[in-house]
Amino acid sequence: MPPKSKKPSILSRFVSLVGGRSNKPTKPTVDHHQGSAKVASTGAGLSVSERPLARSVADLSPPVDNTTSESQGSQPPIHQSGSENEIVDSSQGAAVSKHARQDVPHPPQPLESSEALQAYKNPPGPRGQGGGTSFLAGASGFRMRDIQYIESPHVTVHTGVASNRSIDGWELLLKHTAPNALHDSDARYDPPKCDEDTRVEVIAEITDWIHDRGGPQRLLCMTGAAGSGKSALQQTTAEISLKNGTLGSTFFFSASDPSRNTVKHIIPTIAYQLGRTNDTLRWWIKAAVEGDPLVFSKSLRTQMATLIVEPSQRCEGTGMDLTTLPYVILIDGLDECTGEDRQAELLTAVKEGLLVNGLPFRIFIASRPEWAIRTALEPGGHLRKVAYHIQLSNNYDASSDMRRYLQRRFEDIGLRIGDSHWFTEDNIETLVETASGQFVYVATVFKYISERRASPAGRLKIVLDWTPHEGQKARPFESLDRLYANILLAAKNAYEAVDTHSGHDFLLLFNAHHLNAFGIPTSSDARLSFSADCFSVILGLEAGAEENLVIDLRSLVTLEMEDHHLHLQCCLQHIVECPLDFDSLPTNWEELPIPKPQRNYLGVAVVVLPFALNGATADEVGLGDFTNKAGWSKLDKLMPLYTDLKVANTYMDWITDIGYFNDKLKSLNPEIGAVITEFIGKLKRTFERWDLMNPEAAELQVGGTDRRSVLGSGYSSEDIELEAS
């Protein structure tokens, strides 16, 4: 659960206003024929420029009411007055007083503390090179009190905000939004969401975080594998927040929708939704667009500052309590946004914009654990300390929820077809087990089975018995196939586009690692399996190549961290249990009477043994069984045959590494230490004789060769091709 903290104090609502009253009121003149009005110039120098009927008062005047808008067109009322200091529309019977009224909105005061907003305070005009109107030019002895900056169908008003009045800022904002990205968009008809009584634990954690307004972490990042239910949780959160009045905005990315697979529209879309919740905020967002119509072509940080941060701060400057705004902002599917760099840019804009002090927003971002968000949340990442992280796939077992989901859905089908026994509990258990924790699997199964024009029992049997083969007509997992195929294709293209990977077949390498993970079958019905880094060596790849292979597949696979102890045991076992007659070995490694793949794996076990030994502590290495089964003697007979170790004096590195380990082992187990010491001595003498007999070996010495870079020198992709049988 996220840490709790005290709620912040209520923000100040006070804003100072200019006081004073004129000695002599100015009476306006009205031109009924032209359909426009203007205030006559007086000795005081007060002037208002003429402009034709075009906009309502509320269109350009910021409302003072900070209640949530029910519609984006709601505006404060304008009351009629019978005083002489008013401008009258004779056709409508409406009047606007020039003196202060509680029902006529005041323009918000600019924030003195924000340097970024000073342009609003000093707009270009006749005093400079712009188009603003001077109200008091040349005035003397003039006192002002309760003057209202307003714009009615008959009066031109200048609010002090530099803007282009020839455009409508709100309309321009709408043109840059992505309607399909909203949580209730028609494009997302019947979106995935959590069933009642499912995902209860994680939903409770999310809602607790939302309600903890004073919590130190105002950003929640939820990561999980493809199909783990992230979008369903986001949709459910959106509906809960909408119901309790806290939903500010949503944005659902989708890789297949051009309007919402980039960052181009996300900030305008968020600004639009936030503006709809409050008239004053909407007014300032509108004014910001009119002040900079090209803001949509600028960086995400600039857009965030201009369209969300600064309008929110200006609202606060008028005395609005920002904590009254709907504050939940939901962003789903960051990984489906095109371009890792743009994903990272958005995360930076969120941190530097929406998380600044004084703003009320709490942001919930969901994504597959791909590069941008993964590196941001890792130790040293820029979101590590500011984000509350929920790792959906790792921390929440969805099995019971999936079981409940299928039970409920299958019972509904039973009611529809009049047969409550069309499925069994074992069927549900099989499906849950096959799902491997991914909710998308059971959702896909139900969608396939629930086809109204087919037999549910028949389709259930297809799912349970389904195996892919040529000519297979049934496609129960077609949607899953598309999902995973798209992820694999994107990873393949990204991997093979790197120069150093030129000529590598991504899918072949990935399939080989996948085969190794489940154990590689051999002719003796045994299964061989290596750690990922060791297997990369077998494939002839550079050290650590497996990380680059799966860097874009974090949502589908995870690499097991190397367990040196298990790796060592695997090496020792292969050597001891190798089915060879060690008393009559051939003189060449390639002539060992075992299948070629097994011969290659034996070679790897021999070569990486020192690496595995040094990766484990001396006290956890169980060498007793290996020593009792003549393991060191077998090694002594195998080593001279393995010519790869003779290249570039690699065998000397091998012997040296074994010696380092033995130095640590002697004090813990002197008996085994003595056996290894004798083994090392014999091995040194053997290779010294080999050097004397092969003087040309000195020409191969390159010095300092990384043993792991040599290990794969004798292997090709054909060496690791194995049939399943």
Side-chain angles (χ1 to χ4, degrees):
M1 298 298 296
K4 304 282 185 178
S5 71
K6 295 181 180 179
K7 294 187 177 180
S9 60
I10 301 299
L11 299 175
S12 172
R13 300 181 181 224
F14 177 79
V15 59
S16 60
L17 299 174
V18 177
R21 181 185 297 273
S22 61
N23 292 329
K24 184 178 180 180
T26 301
K27 189 173 183 177
T29 61
V30 181
D31 186 345
H32 298 286
H33 299 288
Q34 296 297 325
S36 63
K38 57 185 177 182
V39 179
S41 299
T42 70
L46 175 62
S47 64
V48 181
S49 61
E50 180 178 357
R51 184 170 293 186
L53 295 166
R55 305 188 184 188
S56 67
V57 173
D59 190 30
L60 289 179
S61 298
V64 293
D65 182 14
N66 62 356
T67 57
T68 302
S69 301
E70 290 300 324
S71 67
Q72 63 186 40
S74 61
Q75 304 292 349
I78 301 175
H79 291 263
Q80 297 185 11
S81 172
S83 71
E84 63 174 345
N85 295 313
E86 62 186 14
I87 300 171
V88 181
D89 179 351
S90 60
S91 63
Q92 300 296 329
V96 180
S97 173
K98 295 194 314 183
H99 295 303
R101 305 179 61 92
Q102 293 297 319
D103 48 11
V104 178
H106 295 261
Q109 189 98 343
L111 292 178
E112 297 293 336
S113 61
S114 176
E115 293 181 2
L117 301 181
Q118 293 307 307
Y120 285 113
K121 298 176 62 178
N122 301 292
R127 295 161 292 179
Q129 291 81 30
T133 300
S134 173
F135 283 84
L136 302 176
S140 61
F142 186 87
R143 299 178 62 196
M144 178 189 294
R145 182 176 182 183
D146 297 333
I147 281 290
Q148 295 296 308
Y149 296 123
I150 60 175
E151 179 168 329
S152 74
H154 311 292
V155 180
T156 297
V157 177
H158 295 277
T159 65
V161 177
S163 61
N164 184 351
R165 297 307 186 195
S166 64
I167 64 172
D168 186 308
W170 192 254
E171 290 297 326
L172 186 57
L173 178 75
L174 290 177
K175 292 179 181 178
H176 288 84
T177 61
N180 288 358
L182 306 184
H183 81 281
D184 55 356
S185 167
D186 183 63
R188 299 186 64 250
Y189 171 73
D190 193 22
K193 59 183 177 181
C194 302
D195 263 21
E196 184 181 359
D197 299 330
T198 64
R199 316 311 296 266
V200 174
E201 182 181 0
V202 65
I203 290 174
E205 185 168 358
I206 293 169
T207 54
D208 284 349
W209 171 84
I210 288 174
H211 295 149
D212 184 20
R213 301 284 305 266
Q217 294 166 311
R218 291 163 45 209
L219 172 64
L220 168 62
C221 293
M222 182 173 68
T223 58
S228 58
K230 300 180 298 297
S231 293
L233 285 164
Q234 280 274 20
Q235 182 69 28
T236 300
T237 303
E239 295 181 5
I240 293 173
S241 300
L242 180 65
K243 186 177 297 184
N244 62 31
T246 61
L247 184 64
S249 66
T250 60
F251 195 97
F252 284 76
F253 281 105
S254 174
S256 61
D257 187 340
S259 72
R260 53 190 178 111
N261 64 1
T262 71
V263 296
K264 183 177 180 181
H265 301 298
I266 182 169
I267 295 177
T269 304
I270 292 175
Y272 155 74
Q273 294 173 84
L274 292 176
R276 289 189 69 250
T277 68
N278 183 275
D279 287 334
T280 304
L281 180 57
R282 177 189 173 193
W283 189 93
W284 280 118
I285 294 172
K286 179 179 186 293
V289 176
E290 291 170 357
D292 186 3
L294 297 182
V295 64
F296 307 105
S297 62
K298 297 186 177 181
S299 70
L300 294 183
R301 279 184 285 187
T302 299
Q303 290 185 49
M304 187 77 78
T306 304
L307 299 177
I308 299 177
V309 178
E310 292 170 5
S312 299
Q313 291 173 335
R314 283 182 164 271
C315 288
E316 185 180 23
T318 68
M320 177 190 294
D321 181 0
L322 294 185
T323 63
T324 63
L325 290 174
Y327 59 90
V328 177
I329 297 176
L330 307 178
I331 300 174
D332 181 65
L334 177 68
D335 55 278
E336 299 207 24
C337 170
T338 303
E340 292 176 337
D341 291 339
R342 301 315 301 272
Q343 296 174 23
E345 182 187 4
L346 176 59
L347 292 175
T348 299
V350 167
K351 179 189 175 184
E352 297 181 359
L354 297 180
L355 298 184
V356 299
N357 291 335
L359 296 187
F361 306 117
R362 296 182 79 76
I363 305 95
F364 175 17
I365 300 176
S367 174
R368 296 198 293 260
E370 304 299 2
W371 175 82
I373 196 166
R374 190 178 71 252
T375 55
L377 294 170
E378 286 176 347
H382 67 97
L383 296 182
R384 175 73 173 188
K385 295 182 179 179
V386 300
Y388 180 62
H389 187 194
I390 293 179
Q391 295 176 283
L392 193 60
S393 300
N394 296 348
N395 300 335
Y396 300 91
D397 182 9
S399 298
S400 60
D401 288 334
M402 290 188 287
R403 194 175 293 110
R404 190 179 299 111
Y405 170 90
L406 289 175
Q407 183 77 34
R408 186 176 297 161
R409 292 293 194 276
F410 284 3
E411 287 176 355
D412 289 343
I413 291 177
L415 292 175
R416 174 168 61 84
I417 64 176
D419 180 6
S420 60
H421 302 291
W422 71 274
F423 68 96
T424 67
E425 296 296 328
D426 287 343
N427 296 154
I428 291 179
E429 211 56 44
T430 299
L431 294 174
V432 170
E433 182 179 349
T434 306
S436 300
Q438 305 310 302
F439 224 105
V440 68
Y441 177 84
V442 295
T444 301
V445 165
F446 170 71
K447 186 175 181 180
Y448 177 75
I449 292 175
S450 62
E451 167 59 46
R452 294 181 180 277
R453 294 173 179 81
S455 164
R459 290 208 160 195
L460 175 60
K461 187 176 186 304
I462 289 175
V463 169
L464 295 173
D465 299 338
W466 186 83
T467 54
H469 60 79
E470 187 176 354
Q472 175 70 264
K473 293 182 179 180
R475 299 182 180 275
F477 307 112
E478 187 173 4
S479 60
L480 280 181
D481 291 343
R482 286 196 301 269
L483 171 64
Y484 296 135
N486 288 337
I487 296 174
L488 282 169
L489 181 61
K492 170 182 169 64
N493 293 337
Y495 180 86
E496 295 181 356
V498 178
D499 293 342
T500 55
H501 300 157
S502 178
H504 292 180
D505 187 322
F506 171 82
L507 293 179
L508 176 62
L509 295 176
F510 180 72
N511 282 334
H513 270 283
H514 183 262
L515 180 63
N516 175 63
F518 286 93
I520 302 169
T522 67
S523 58
S524 61
D525 292 332
R527 285 187 173 270
L528 304 178
S529 182
F530 298 91
S531 62
D533 57 345
C534 178
F535 196 66
S536 289
V537 172
I538 296 175
L539 297 177
L541 302 175
E542 68 277 9
E546 66 282 350
E547 288 288 344
N548 292 328
L549 194 66
V550 301
I551 192 170
D552 293 312
L553 296 174
R554 298 290 184 176
S555 60
L556 297 182
V557 299
T558 55
L559 282 178
E560 293 183 0
M561 299 301 293
E562 181 181 2
D563 186 329
H564 286 283
H565 181 67
L566 292 178
H567 191 181
L568 172 63
Q569 298 305 317
C570 182
C571 292
L572 297 176
Q573 182 180 356
H574 289 333
I575 294 169
V576 170
E577 297 181 358
C578 183
L580 289 171
D581 182 357
F582 284 89
D583 293 328
S584 58
L585 293 176
T587 57
N588 189 298
W589 184 271
E590 297 300 322
E591 296 177 358
L592 289 175
I594 53 178
K596 184 178 180 180
Q598 192 171 358
R599 186 168 63 242
N600 287 340
Y601 297 137
L602 177 62
V604 171
V606 169
V607 174
V608 302
L609 179 60
F611 176 73
L613 284 170
N614 285 316
T617 59
D619 58 347
E620 73 176 359
V621 177
L623 292 176
D625 188 61
F626 181 78
T627 303
N628 293 335
K629 292 182 178 179
W632 300 108
S633 175
K634 292 179 179 180
L635 262 179
D636 179 43
K637 295 177 180 179
L638 287 172
M639 292 290 288
L641 306 182
Y642 200 72
T643 56
D644 272 2
L645 280 176
K646 300 175 183 178
V647 176
N649 273 0
T650 307
Y651 65 87
M652 290 306 300
D653 293 337
W654 194 98
I655 294 174
T656 300
D657 283 351
I658 289 287
Y660 287 151
F661 171 76
N662 195 39
D663 290 341
K664 297 185 294 182
L665 182 68
K666 287 178 181 178
S667 60
L668 295 174
N669 196 322
E671 294 181 2
I672 294 181
V675 174
I676 297 177
T677 299
E678 181 181 357
F679 162 72
I680 292 175
K682 291 176 62 178
L683 206 58
K684 284 182 178 179
R685 292 190 292 272
T686 298
F687 283 117
E688 285 171 359
R689 289 196 303 271
W690 185 86
D691 281 341
L692 291 174
M693 296 173 58
N694 299 273
E696 69 276 8
E699 299 178 3
L700 297 175
Q701 184 170 349
V702 295
T705 303
D706 183 351
R707 180 178 66 252
R708 288 175 294 177
S709 68
V710 178
L711 296 183
S713 59
Y715 301 119
S716 63
S717 59
E718 289 80 8
D719 292 331
I720 53 88
E721 289 180 358
L722 297 172
E723 297 295 334
S725 60

